[in-house]
Amino acid sequence: KAGVTQTPRYLIKTRGQQVTLSCSPISGHRSVSWYQQTPGQGLQFLFEYFSETQRNKGNFPGRFSGRQFSNSRSEMNVSTLELGDSALYLCASSFSSGGAWQETQYFGPGTRLLVL
Amino acid sequence: KQEVTQIPAALSVPEGENLVLNCSFTDSAIYNLQWFRQDPGKGLTSLLLIQSSQREQTSGRLNASLDKSSGRSTLYIAASQPGDSATYLCAVNDNAGNMLTFGGGTRLMVKP
């Protein structure tokens, strides 16, 4: 079974631009979560989607948004990029059968975003 | 607000040693705790998941324990190998959903 895939793997943008990152979960997984990883702040939760609905949201500004499609694929968008948005963005998927959440999360390889 | 701390931040050991990585969390009302491994520049690989009702989980040379009441978990690695060199992260899930709170990680180097 294929793992979690993320595209693109690397991205360079300039301040003020916007960016869209994509995540395809493991087949059959319905929950997709997004995390930001930086050297200073470590891994921080952005948001989680389950059955096309945002189930949880972390403490990030409204410039960070996401969505999930009917096939469980998810995208996250960052508008008006700032230098501090440079990070590794990771997505994770889990099965979440019947809405349960006590399950292993599987992470993708990440998208490394550099904002100049 | 849940806070997760990992000690030590870095560890260097000779090959073959048994070692223990520590993780502590401030709010004991968790659903599960998960240990991950991260190689430089890569994503996270799940190692072990311990449900709140469990005391430990084992996978090969890895054994993770959970003491929910004291807010602590340990990851025991037996007979360490150079290939074990990586950053080890623990994360707790304490809400209705898949929102993980991560510790800062322990960077492990196993020398041949």
Side-chain angles (χ1 to χ4, degrees):
Chain A
K1 194 182 260 190
V4 178
T5 58
Q6 293 186 244
T7 57
R9 293 294 311 279
Y10 304 92
L11 208 48
I12 300 175
K13 293 285 187 180
T14 56
R15 278 182 300 173
Q17 287 187 311
Q18 74 165 16
V19 66
T20 299
L21 311 182
S22 180
C23 172
S24 293
I26 292 172
S27 178
H29 284 194
R30 298 164 63 190
S31 167
V32 174
S33 300
W34 288 88
Y35 294 83
Q36 181 196 65
Q37 186 175 32
T38 60
Q41 299 297 318
L43 270 155
Q44 294 183 286
F45 173 81
L46 282 157
F47 28 65
E48 180 207 4
Y49 286 87
F50 177 78
S51 292
E52 301 179 64
T53 301
Q54 187 179 87
R55 184 156 68 175
N56 282 294
K57 188 177 189 306
N59 294 324
F60 278 82
R63 300 186 296 108
F64 292 81
S65 63
R67 59 177 175 169
Q68 186 180 35
F69 302 95
S70 58
N71 62 358
S72 293
R73 188 177 70 86
S74 177
E75 289 181 346
M76 68 163 282
N77 183 275
V78 188
S79 63
T80 319
L81 284 166
E82 300 177 359
L83 296 179
D85 296 333
S86 295
L88 180 66
Y89 290 88
L90 295 162
C91 83
S93 75
S94 65
F95 186 48
S96 286
S97 58
W101 52 84
Q102 298 177 14
E103 298 165 349
T104 298
Q105 290 195 51
Y106 297 90
F107 280 76
T111 293
R112 186 164 296 280
L113 172 65
L114 177 62
V115 182
L116 301 176
Chain B
K1 178 191 170 189
Q2 181 75 261
E3 291 182 2
V4 181
T5 303
Q6 290 187 247
I7 294 173
L11 183 63
S12 180
V13 300
E15 182 177 3
E17 265 200 18
N18 301 323
L19 55 99
V20 175
L21 308 182
N22 297 293
C23 172
S24 62
F25 45 95
T26 54
D27 186 345
S28 62
I30 65 170
Y31 290 110
N32 60 52
L33 182 145
Q34 200 164 352
W35 282 93
F36 295 90
R37 166 187 173 140
Q38 186 175 32
D39 293 286
K42 302 290 181 64
L44 277 62
T45 300
S46 177
L47 297 173
L48 291 164
L49 171 78
I50 310 178
Q51 303 288 3
S52 61
S53 58
Q54 297 174 322
R55 298 284 290 187
E56 65 178 308
Q57 281 287 336
T58 298
S59 176
R61 296 183 292 109
L62 304 180
N63 176 277
S65 67
L66 175 64
D67 184 343
K68 205 174 73 161
S69 61
S70 67
R72 293 180 183 179
S73 176
T74 61
L75 178 67
Y76 175 83
I77 302 177
S80 58
Q81 303 170 356
D84 295 330
S85 298
T87 296
Y88 290 80
L89 294 146
C90 74
V92 300
N93 185 340
D94 62 2
N95 79 340
N98 286 308
M99 174 179 161
L100 296 178
T101 301
F102 281 86
T106 293
R107 191 169 63 254
L108 172 66
M109 176 171 290
V110 180
K111 298 178 179 178

